Amino acid sequence: MAFGLFWGRAGAPLLLGRPGVWFGLLLGVLAYPFAQIWLHEELTRAVLDIVAENIGASAMRDQVALVGLVPAIVAGYADEFAKLVMLLVVGFVMARPSNPRAVTAAAIAPTAGYALFAAQLTLTNALHADLPAADLAFAFSREWAWISLQFGTAYMLARGWLAGRLTAYVLLAGVLHTAAAYTATLDDIGWHSAVVTLVLALVGLLAFSWGASLIPAGRR
């Protein structure tokens, strides 16, 4: 609800008349499956194999909360890396814009395709699983939180472009994304679904509001 209320004031300019924006939206949709397979699954598996070789599989089973940081960090920075690459590609298509509105749109367009495709896939699976009403409500709430987080971190990448400090803002976005991804481990160790959903919602809202505040000229 807070995300919806903030969007009218802090939401990214759509600039629907620009072909580069529509290209970015399509790019985000097409990039999602590849990012999940190559950047998430394969990289996470490789890192966990290295960890298992060094500390042992039994130790990993005993340290679920600590080991859960590995896939969270991989997921967080893999997504931000994918969004950064998409931002650079869309920026190139849009002839490397320097206008804050155009740069913000170049960051948000592929992120929208990426995040909305992910939400559609997750919610379709949840609906087909015939979950209880409460679990279905949690699933919808979590996807809104993820969309908020993805858009918020996209703002940070846009700010990094505008300020010439992409590395710093990618690192900042990755920290927030890692915190959100770690909620999957909270689920695994037995936290109540309502608490996990609340934590994810708070991180998502923080990312969105913080990211939007970095681009005050975005709606001018």
Side-chain angles (χ1 to χ4, degrees), residues 87-152:
L87 167 61
L88 296 177
V89 171
V90 175
F92 176 78
V93 170
M94 295 175 68
R96 296 185 61 82
S98 57
N99 181 290
R101 285 176 60 87
V103 172
T104 305
I108 289 292
T111 298
Y114 190 92
L116 295 176
F117 183 85
Q120 180 272 332
L121 185 63
T122 300
L123 293 177
T124 298
N125 292 335
L127 290 170
H128 287 169
D130 196 23
L131 297 174
D135 290 341
L136 196 58
F138 289 141
F140 272 87
S141 299
R142 291 184 188 189
E143 290 313 306
W144 271 114
W146 274 112
I147 292 171
S148 300
L149 178 125
Q150 293 280 24
F151 282 8

Side-chain angles (χ1 to χ4, degrees), residues 155-170:
Y155 277 120
M156 294 178 183
L157 299 186
R159 177 60 181 173
W161 175 303
L162 292 168
R165 300 174 58 196
L166 269 175
T167 300
Y169 281 97
V170 168

